Amino acid sequence: MNPTAVKFGFPDTLVREYRHWLVLLRPAQVTAGSLVLAAKGDARAYGDLPVEAFAEQAEVVADIETALRSAVNFDKINYLMLMMVDPDVHFHVIPRYAGERTLAGISITDAGWPGPPDLASATALDAGQVEAMVGALRPLFARRHGEVDG
């Protein structure tokens, strides 16, 4: 797996794996349900991804938005492609909302609402909290695909 996925906790943070993409729980939660959408290959530029990855990305984004709407009922969603520190292609997926949301018993306020996400205010999760959030999100992705989780 590429170094960026590993830095964001793969395999412990893995919510769902696709042919070209990984959906990872972001270990530092900007808002409840913050994810990382990471390309599986070694592309360092978005335009270097195979064409099939772009086609699959439409399915992945639909899965993310359906799952996060169910999990935290976001008002808006931000996809940030920064790639300044971690060079492999990835997006930070930040569900946005006024106030606070709770996921897996962990309550997080959107400190940046209604402006840009406040990345500096992220809540660092411990291993147990990561496991709980991943466990809460996985069934939502499985349900979208008609799978039985568990």
Side-chain angles (χ1 to χ4, degrees), residues 8-9 11-15 25-29 104 106 124-137:
F8 285 108
D12 296 335
T13 58
L14 181 64
V15 175
L25 180 76
R26 194 175 191 277
Q29 291 281 286
I106 303 158
L125 302 179
D126 64 32
Q129 291 172 317
V130 166
E131 184 178 356
M133 278 199 181
V134 167
L137 291 170

Side-chain angles (χ1 to χ4, degrees), residues 77-116:
I77 193 162
N78 294 160
Y79 293 87
L80 308 177
M81 181 184 250
L82 304 173
M83 294 173 36
M84 297 300 291
V85 175
D86 305 301
D88 303 295
V89 173
H90 69 287
F91 296 84
H92 297 264
V93 181
I94 314 295
R96 305 300 309 282
Y97 45 79
E100 180 179 85
R101 297 291 192 277
T102 301
L103 179 60
I106 303 158
S107 295
I108 301 174
T109 299
D110 186 341
W113 183 267

Side-chain angles (χ1 to χ4, degrees), residues 57-70:
Q57 191 176 20
E59 172 191 348
V60 177
V61 166
D63 288 356
I64 286 170
E65 293 184 7
T66 298
L68 288 179
R69 184 158 316 281
S70 178

Side-chain angles (χ1 to χ4, degrees), residues 16-65:
R16 179 95 183 172
E17 183 170 1
Y18 298 82
R19 182 165 176 237
H20 296 280
W21 298 96
L22 301 171
V23 176
L24 307 171
L25 180 76
R26 194 175 191 277
Q29 291 281 286
V30 178
T31 59
S34 294
L35 303 172
V36 174
L37 173 58
K40 289 171 71 173
D42 58 3
R44 298 268 168 119
Y46 192 46
D48 289 343
L49 291 174
V51 69
E52 298 84 10
F54 290 104
E56 185 182 56
Q57 191 176 20
E59 172 191 348
V60 177
V61 166
D63 288 356
I64 286 170
E65 293 184 7

